[in-house]
Amino acid sequence: MVEIRKARESDIKDIVELTERIWKGYTIAELLEKKYGLIGGKPWYEYKKNEIERFCKDHIEWVFVAEVDGKIVGYATYSLDFERKVGEVLNNGVDPSYRGRGIGSSLHKRVLQALKEAGMEIAFVSTLEIDIPAQNMYKKHGFKELVRSIHYSQKLK
């Protein structure tokens, strides 16, 4: 049985530890590394882990975790723009060994509920073109494509 709950400060270590497995194959940082090699002396997932850890420390109230038998197997982060009333789904991921069980959808539904409870009028999310599972889930939850984005890179000499 999966439990979706608000994250606690004590969960941050487990959230960060999951990050590499969750996002492998789905980040721009990893794509850049594949194209140009190691960037900044660290692998892509170290940057992603640092980003997630900083976010959790700064905004633990905007983080949910999915727990199975006392083990954190996924997490979702979001942000709230109270001025514009736009809530953004930031990171929503599940450990690959727990995928296909509806855990990502459960996390996503809980984030959408939190956005509504906070008075947001619009929910926004973005994902990469290569992340077909995420696209399918967002469509399933009623999101409509707004616009595509193109990312370019260039090696500077």
Side-chain angles (χ1 to χ4, degrees):
M1 184 73 175
V2 64
E3 176 189 2
I4 307 299
R5 64 169 175 79
K6 280 287 201 181
R8 300 183 285 259
E9 299 265 340
S10 59
D11 297 325
I12 295 174
K13 182 177 180 253
D14 292 331
I15 291 168
V16 170
E17 196 278 324
L18 272 173
T19 297
E20 178 183 356
R21 290 193 309 279
I22 287 175
W23 302 111
K24 184 167 180 50
Y26 298 108
T27 69
I28 291 173
E30 185 179 5
L31 294 172
L32 285 169
E33 185 175 298
K34 283 181 180 180
K35 183 171 183 122
Y36 300 110
L38 203 61
I39 298 171
K42 296 187 289 190
W44 69 269
Y45 53 82
E46 291 298 329
Y47 296 103
K48 184 70 176 174
K49 286 178 178 183
N50 289 339
E51 168 196 321
I52 295 296
E53 183 174 27
R54 271 192 316 274
F55 184 87
C56 289
K57 286 180 177 179
D58 291 345
H59 297 288
I60 196 69
E61 73 279 10
W62 292 346
V63 182
F64 287 104
V65 294
E67 201 173 63
V68 174
D69 298 326
K71 178 182 178 182
I72 295 174
V73 299
Y75 62 87
T77 64
Y78 62 98
S79 67
L80 303 171
D81 180 335
F82 292 101
E83 183 178 356
R84 296 183 312 138
K85 298 196 180 303
V86 175
E88 184 173 0
V89 180
L90 300 173
N91 296 280
N92 185 23
V94 176
D95 185 306
S97 61
Y98 286 85
R99 289 181 185 156
R101 302 180 193 187
I103 296 171
S105 280
S106 294
L107 280 163
H108 188 69
K109 285 179 191 175
R110 185 59 190 95
V111 167
L112 292 178
Q113 180 184 348
L115 299 182
K116 289 176 190 173
E117 290 170 359
M120 300 298 108
E121 295 175 1
I122 296 170
F124 172 78
V125 66
S126 62
T127 192
L128 296 178
E129 185 176 40
I130 60 175
D131 195 346
I132 302 303
Q135 290 177 48
N136 291 337
M137 183 183 66
Y138 298 139
K139 290 175 190 173
K140 181 174 111 178
H141 289 277
F143 282 81
K144 305 288 185 226
E145 185 174 322
L146 181 62
V147 67
R148 295 219 171 209
S149 175
I150 301 173
H151 300 265
Y152 295 94
S153 69
Q154 173 183 349
K155 181 82 172 174
L156 299 174
K157 297 178 183 183

